[in-house]
Amino acid sequence: MLQFDADRDAMLARAHGAAIETVVAIGSGTGPGSLDCAIRLAKRERAGEPRIYATVGIHPHEAKLATDADFDELSTLARNPKVIAWGEIGLDYFYDHSPREVQRAVFLKQLELARPARLPVVIHCRPSQDSQNAWDECVGILAEQWAASGLGGVLHCFTGMMEHARQALDLGFMISFAGNVTFPRAQNIRDAARELPLDRILIETDSPFLAPVPHRGKRNEPAFVKEVARQIGELRGMAAEEVAFQTSQNFYRFFSLPPASNAGMPIPSPSRGAEG
Ligand SMILES: [Zn+2]
């Protein structure tokens, strides 16, 4: 059983109805024991639903649970053709669910494994309250340990400062904005969403978290990524459809994927494939 099985068909139908062509299911799940959860979702290929791609990786929350056997399993799963990135990996100093030195070690270990797998990385980074410590550290680690791979990645759910975004762009990363760009207090996020080069940004939902205004507080789902496009459009003086089209093109280009054939107004929507 995967979490949210009960209404998955309806959720994907709503995504399709919202012109979402492609979904990335994030494969962190509940940690070791469910590392293939996104691949299982990506196996479904049904008419009237978005295409689903997958990632694999151990999230910083579960870093303390990771064993050598899990790392071996990740390397095997990474060879699945539906897997397009390694992640979410990184640092979370807000919740500190795993000790920080363990988070760092598991992050570094997965960078080491993603390199021979030739996969870009999806970075999860959340600093402790009123700080940017995790962003400083994440970007530093990527500069030292990852940039030379030439594989780049995505800073998912960006909440850092402009300098972090600019450093990451220099390292070959895309910057991805989630539902929290619509939250009134998120000024630094909106500054970044307004000023970064349009060809280097992505939009996502971070489902089931961070449902954008006007759905705030509900379970998030891929169809809601339209609100992220709308907000970024407002910030940049562009139509939401234009933001959707551009960020979709960015996604297909970065991941070397063919645009979906029935291209109306594609919106890729990374969402989390969690297991319950
Ligand atoms: Zn995340």
Side-chain angles (χ1 to χ4, degrees):
M1 275 294 283
L2 291 175
Q3 195 182 3
F4 310 128
D5 271 350
D7 72 334
R8 180 160 292 109
D9 292 358
M11 176 276 288
L12 287 168
R14 287 193 293 274
H16 182 74
I20 306 238
E21 293 180 342
T22 306
V23 168
V24 179
I26 296 295
S28 308
T30 51
S34 62
L35 297 175
D36 66 338
C37 63
I39 294 174
R40 282 192 270 154
L41 292 180
K43 273 187 192 139
R44 60 188 285 155
E45 290 174 4
R46 301 186 192 173
E49 290 188 358
R51 294 182 297 181
I52 304 177
Y53 291 101
T55 73
V56 292
I58 294 175
H59 194 280
H61 287 343
E62 285 86 32
K64 65 184 175 200
L65 304 175
T67 64
D68 285 342
D70 298 320
F71 294 129
D72 290 345
E73 186 186 349
L74 286 172
S75 288
T76 303
L77 293 171
R79 292 196 282 270
N80 186 296
K82 285 285 188 151
V83 172
I84 60 168
W86 196 299
E88 296 174 22
I89 59 175
L91 303 172
D92 193 309
Y93 294 170
F94 187 83
Y95 288 110
D96 282 324
H97 286 329
S98 290
R100 292 181 184 181
E101 66 275 15
V102 176
Q103 293 189 40
R104 280 190 286 271
V106 170
F107 182 21
L108 288 168
K109 174 72 180 174
Q110 292 184 93
L111 291 177
E112 213 175 273
L113 296 173
R115 188 189 288 242
R118 307 300 299 159
L119 288 173
V121 288
V122 176
I123 300 298
H124 170 101
C125 183
R126 191 160 180 200
S128 56
Q129 193 99 43
D130 300 321
S131 101
Q132 289 284 326
N133 54 355
W135 281 112
D136 293 339
E137 217 177 302
C138 254
V139 173
I141 287 173
L142 293 172
E144 282 172 26
Q145 309 287 336
W146 185 248
S149 74
L151 294 164
V154 176
L155 295 190
H156 124 86
C157 193
F158 185 68
T159 59
M161 306 303 288
M162 192 64 75
E163 72 207 59
H164 300 115
R166 292 203 188 286
Q167 286 164 13
L169 292 183
D170 289 344
L171 303 176
F173 275 72
M174 306 293 283
I175 312 295
S176 181
F177 295 95
N180 51 354
V181 74
T182 67
F183 297 173
R185 285 196 302 168
Q187 195 53 48
N188 63 314
I189 306 177
R190 279 203 291 274
D191 289 345
R194 187 180 56 240
E195 289 169 37
L196 291 174
L198 185 61
D199 64 348
R200 301 295 298 280
I201 70 177
L202 300 174
I203 57 176
E204 61 171 299
T205 55
D206 201 21
S207 301
F209 309 111
L210 295 175
V213 174
H215 307 289
R216 197 169 178 182
K218 287 197 237 164
R219 187 193 71 178
N220 204 354
E221 63 173 65
F224 296 168
V225 80
K226 291 171 89 163
E227 305 302 333
V228 180
R230 180 170 300 144
Q231 176 70 63
I232 293 178
E234 266 174 39
L235 291 166
R236 300 184 74 113
M238 295 166 60
E241 290 75 13
E242 197 184 340
V243 174
F245 180 76
Q246 271 299 330
T247 53
S248 297
Q249 297 304 307
N250 297 344
F251 170 84
Y252 296 130
R253 184 188 72 239
F254 181 79
F255 288 104
S256 302
L257 295 172
S261 50
N262 56 339
M265 201 52 76
I267 308 177
S269 167
S271 72
R272 176 182 298 257
E275 169 153 321

